[in-house]
Amino acid sequence: MHIPFKRAFNRKNDELRPITLVPSFYPYCDGSCLVKFGNTQVICAATIDEKVPQFLKHTKTGWITAEYGMLPCSSSERIDREAAKGKQSGRTVEIQRLIGRSLRSVVDLSLLGERQIKVDCDVIQADGGTRTASITGAYIAMVLACKKLLKQQLISINPVKSHAVAISCGLIYGTPMLDLDYNEDSNAEVDSNFIMSDDNIIEIQACGEKHPFSEEIFNTLLEYAKKARLELINKQDEALK
């Protein structure tokens, strides 16, 4: 099927947008990263908290949690602050839970001790894929916070067991594509997000926006995501050198 637009950055269908990871972007937190997926930009900042949620008290086990938000002028139309509304949207709650689950899945929480790491992900510019960019950058912020704990000898073993990366894929005008920007995402017949560790899947979100889709299409999207995983892990490793 004919696609009535060219991909931004003249990309191939299985090609990522330009990715930039800037570690230690914030001076006042325990770990941070500015992440850019094309025109999408997110600041991820990790803070060490010497308290754990009530359900983990006296368990000698730590916790990783996340908060997510879009700044008012991060999109083409102003987004009202959720604090002013007094309630988070369902989308915000879903995304921050996803980020937290993704990070916890690659950490041995028993090695953190009875403390938690809180990761704030603030979208400063949105052009599709804000949740996947957030997860990829949040991993950097979390690792830097764990390195600080090691340096201060508050923990003796690095609790991070694997990388965590995420990428979007979709079917647009019948064509599988990797790393969707807003224009592509808004025209997607199939929309998916793949969250992955070094060798395995952490979570998959996939739905037929306009019609059901075949296993063949799903497998193509998965192969695109697995190809991107290697590139994103290399980017993370470069940022953490």
Side-chain angles (χ1 to χ4, degrees):
M1 189 180 295
H2 175 67
I3 301 172
F5 58 82
K6 287 186 178 181
R7 299 204 81 191
F9 308 102
N10 294 314
R11 292 185 291 150
K12 297 176 182 177
N13 293 334
D14 63 348
E15 188 176 354
L16 289 166
R17 289 177 283 181
I19 305 293
T20 302
L21 299 172
V22 184
S24 303
F25 183 76
Y26 266 179
Y28 300 122
C29 56
D30 298 306
S32 64
C33 180
L34 169 64
V35 53
K36 301 179 183 180
F37 277 40
N39 293 321
T40 288
Q41 301 183 34
V42 185
I43 297 174
C44 304
T47 305
I48 298 165
D49 186 352
E50 292 297 328
K51 301 187 296 292
V52 290
Q54 183 68 33
F55 72 93
L56 285 175
K57 283 190 174 181
H58 312 301
T59 63
K60 299 182 180 178
T61 297
W63 191 245
I64 311 284
T65 189
E67 293 188 16
Y68 167 94
M70 296 181 67
L71 298 188
C73 294
S74 60
S75 185
S76 58
E77 294 184 4
R78 186 185 184 279
I79 299 169
D80 290 338
R81 294 184 189 273
E82 293 182 339
K85 294 180 178 180
K87 182 181 179 181
Q88 290 181 312
S89 70
R91 176 182 180 274
T92 295
V93 172
E94 181 231 334
I95 291 175
Q96 61 191 28
R97 286 178 176 172
L98 172 66
I99 298 168
R101 287 196 304 272
S102 302
L103 297 178
R104 289 193 297 273
S105 73
V106 298
V107 173
D108 184 339
L109 296 172
S110 68
L111 297 176
L112 266 182
E114 206 162 302
R115 62 175 57 84
Q116 66 179 321
I117 297 175
K118 298 178 178 179
V119 185
D120 294 290
C121 299
D122 292 298
V123 179
I124 58 176
Q125 188 167 293
D127 185 31
T130 61
R131 74 184 65 195
T132 53
S134 294
I135 291 167
T136 304
Y139 169 83
I140 299 288
M142 178 186 71
V143 168
L144 291 172
C146 289
K147 285 186 174 183
K148 184 174 182 179
L149 289 170
L150 284 164
K151 186 176 181 180
Q152 294 177 339
Q153 298 184 331
L154 293 171
I155 59 175
S156 57
I157 302 173
N158 188 350
V160 182
K161 304 176 294 182
S162 170
H163 295 80
V165 299
I167 196 65
S168 65
C169 298
L171 189 72
I172 295 88
Y173 295 101
T175 301
M177 291 186 184
L178 175 72
D179 191 14
L180 308 185
D181 61 22
Y182 176 79
N183 185 38
E184 293 162 347
D185 185 60
S186 61
N187 285 285
E189 300 146 59
V190 176
D191 186 19
S192 63
N193 297 296
F194 292 85
I195 301 91
M196 296 166 287
S197 63
D198 288 341
D199 302 308
N200 293 299
I201 301 294
I202 295 172
E203 187 161 336
I204 297 173
Q205 300 177 324
C207 67
E209 297 280 0
K210 299 179 181 178
H211 51 72
F213 58 100
S214 67
E215 288 185 26
E216 182 181 2
I217 289 171
F218 174 80
N219 289 334
T220 299
L221 299 180
L222 176 58
E223 288 305 310
Y224 282 10
K226 287 166 68 175
K227 175 178 177 287
R229 167 171 56 190
L230 298 176
E231 297 179 55
L232 291 170
I233 286 174
N234 286 337
K235 289 282 187 182
Q236 288 177 331
D237 286 344
E238 289 173 12
L240 289 166
K241 283 182 180 177

